[in-house]
Amino acid sequence: MSVTYQDSNARMSQVAIHNGTVYLAGQVPSDATADMRGQTEQVLARIDQLLAQAGTSKEQLISAQIWVTSMAEFDQMNAAWDAWVVPGRPPVRAAVEAKLAKPEWKVEIMVVAALPEA
């Protein structure tokens, strides 16, 4: 089976689709002046856009990896996450504290989702 790439540049793709599975690159906020909850909401909105572009949605999430810059703000990230995730369909998830590529970013999220069955 072939792999389909979307939103690519010379370094990376934002989306890769293979064998009914959609893989997203780590997504970061567009407005880094927001607090942790605001940055998380931005990232989740971008994930919604990319999943829709790939032909799926958060209802089909399989897994999520979350990096936050401070566990002191972990509850803010979780508040945004809990409001976004589909009730009864939470993906497997890992969340860790990490230094991100830009110091103003507070959160980065990477997800994997299934394509809906035809």
Side-chain angles (χ1 to χ4, degrees):
M1 294 199 147
S2 64
V3 179
T4 303
Y5 300 97
Q6 298 176 350
D7 285 347
S8 302
N9 62 32
R11 178 170 292 147
M12 64 182 284
S13 296
Q14 294 299 316
V15 180
I17 304 169
H18 177 260
N19 200 26
T21 305
V22 177
Y23 303 86
L24 266 57
Q27 300 301 308
V28 294
S30 56
D31 176 10
T33 64
D35 64 7
M36 174 67 84
R37 183 172 182 147
Q39 287 195 23
T40 303
E41 289 168 347
Q42 292 172 44
V43 169
L44 296 172
R46 178 67 176 143
I47 288 171
D48 281 336
Q49 292 171 346
L50 290 169
L51 290 174
Q53 174 183 308
T56 191
S57 70
K58 65 185 176 184
E59 282 117 12
Q60 302 296 319
L61 284 182
I62 296 168
S63 69
Q65 296 176 16
I66 303 171
W67 298 271
V68 297
T69 55
S70 172
M71 282 298 179
E73 298 177 289
F74 191 65
D75 289 344
Q76 289 183 46
M77 182 280 299
N78 272 331
W81 176 269
D82 292 345
W84 176 80
V85 76
V86 176
R89 299 188 70 114
V92 297
R93 187 184 104 162
V96 298
E97 186 176 58
K99 185 176 180 179
L100 300 181
K102 291 188 177 180
E104 61 269 24
W105 290 340
K106 295 179 175 285
V107 62
E108 182 169 349
I109 303 175
M110 187 165 91
V111 302
V112 176
L115 287 172
E117 293 185 12

